[in-house]
Amino acid sequence: MPNNDIYEKIAEIFEYPGSKNLIKYFKVLFKPEEGELLLEFLKPATCAQVAKRLNMDEKMLATKLEDLKRRRLLFHKNDEYLFHMAMHGFFARIAKAKEEDIPEGFWKAWDDFMPEVEQKMITRSIKVAQKVPVGGAMSRIIPARLALESSPNIKPDDILPEEDIHAILREKAKKEVVAVSHCDCRIRAHRCDRPVLNCFEFGKYAEFNLNQSSSLKVISVEEAIAISDEAERAGLLKSGGVSQKNGGVLCHCCDCCCNVMGATIRHGVVHQLRNPSRYRASVDSESCIGCQTCVERCFFGAVEMRKVPGSKKLKAFIDEEKCMGCGLCVIGCEQKALVFNLVKPPEYLAADKLPEIPAFSDEKAPVWRNFTTAP
């Protein structure tokens, strides 16, 4: 097969036919002959099976497969290898390879292609959300723990276990591996200087990736809580699927770099695809000095500066329709003029029991779905 044809064929498999940026990215990752070998693993297969199919020496092939695994182009479970993955997962997992295994030009090539990924993801998500109610832990905003602690109106008994990130992390650590890696979104885009060591994986997800030549690092619950608190102070929004089931992820997102949560914000569809927490920020106008730090920290455009009778300074005002209850403005207010109020009953979290937005219908579910998430 001619050199460029193999890249075009793989681009079609990834559902980006003719994408020049994707082809440029593939050329950074693998040679044409490696691409031909990768295509042998669109479904899980053992080294012996493919060696027989290609009439190759099995030991020689095993060496090639281990090299592709190290570079995170092939994923390995038991005796089988697999190539094809979801676009976001394919990129993110390569980004979490050990630094020495990330090829030169990777980050630039990925960033050049990312707008195409975001556009397709947003279009698909909106289409599905029109048919399926937006629900599930993945779609709900997790309130900042430091904002809950600093709000006198919020009593400890008001906070439910599934919205207390400290409690969630402690519960996870009792029975699952807790691991952290650098945020590939901020490393890739580098549009802000917020902390990067705060991308969590749990349980079977962490175990799978720790076995795939990953930069993940296992940490204690105390370390996890400290990282979570640091991220909140830095103005990062919690996002991800932290459920009671084994596994899951927890991201700390910004609006400028993140290619999932940040993309919904930049495309103006976050209120369609995410549910607010049970809390809402409120402002004490007398304490507000008009510094506008809260405006800068709000990703949702929910804080406005307005004239207040008797004051020459503009004061912060919360647009209740836009506030998602993340609490980043509350944490950032040195004057303590912003606090959380509890505005929704516990029953509101019943939305978490709704089906999460599926990326694929059952008949189109990709082969990698179970392969990469099984323990």
Side-chain angles (χ1 to χ4, degrees), residues 123-190:
T123 301
R124 173 180 283 166
S125 296
I126 291 174
K127 184 178 179 179
V128 175
Q130 291 171 347
K131 300 177 181 179
V132 180
V134 176
M138 193 72 178
S139 72
R140 177 171 51 81
I141 297 297
I142 302 174
R145 187 63 171 79
L146 298 180
L148 295 170
E149 289 179 356
S150 66
S151 297
N153 296 336
I154 306 301
K155 306 297 186 257
D157 290 346
D158 293 331
I159 306 170
L160 300 178
E162 55 265 54
E163 56 192 6
D164 180 348
I165 193 60
H166 287 186
I168 291 171
L169 290 172
R170 290 192 181 96
E171 191 61 30
K172 281 288 188 183
K174 288 180 182 177
K175 53 191 177 183
E176 299 176 31
V177 171
V178 178
V180 68
S181 66
H182 290 92
C183 170
D184 48 87
C185 295
R186 278 188 290 285
I187 293 175
R188 168 187 56 79
H190 201 62

Side-chain angles (χ1 to χ4, degrees), residues 286-355:
E286 291 187 4
S287 301
C288 176
I289 62 172
C291 68
Q292 301 191 38
T293 298
C294 53
V295 177
E296 297 172 1
R297 286 176 66 91
C298 181
F299 293 160
F300 308 108
V303 186
E304 302 173 1
M305 301 305 294
R306 296 185 180 181
K307 288 185 177 181
V308 174
S311 174
K312 295 181 180 180
K313 291 184 177 181
L314 296 176
K315 303 281 188 173
F317 175 84
I318 303 298
D319 185 329
E320 296 183 354
E321 294 299 314
K322 294 181 178 179
C323 179
M324 298 293 280
C326 69
L328 296 183
C329 62
V330 176
I331 300 169
C333 184
E334 295 183 358
Q335 308 303 315
K336 307 297 182 186
L338 280 150
V339 296
F340 257 160
N341 287 322
L342 182 60
V343 296
K344 296 181 185 294
E347 292 75 21
Y348 170 73
L349 293 191
D352 284 1
K353 297 180 174 58
L354 291 172

Side-chain angles (χ1 to χ4, degrees), residues 70-83:
R70 176 182 59 81
R71 290 153 56 192
R72 294 174 72 80
L73 292 169
L74 278 181
F75 296 82
H76 185 242
K77 176 185 170 185
N78 299 327
D79 292 329
E80 295 180 317
Y81 294 87
L82 179 71
F83 171 51

Side-chain angles (χ1 to χ4, degrees), residues 100-113:
E100 61 268 25
D101 293 332
I102 296 178
E104 183 178 355
F106 168 81
W107 297 107
K108 176 66 166 59
W110 184 15
D111 197 43
D112 288 345
F113 178 59

Side-chain angles (χ1 to χ4, degrees), residues 270-283:
V270 68
H271 292 88
Q272 292 176 250
L273 301 178
R274 295 291 185 271
N275 289 319
S277 75
R278 296 195 305 132
Y279 306 89
R280 185 184 297 143
S282 65
V283 183

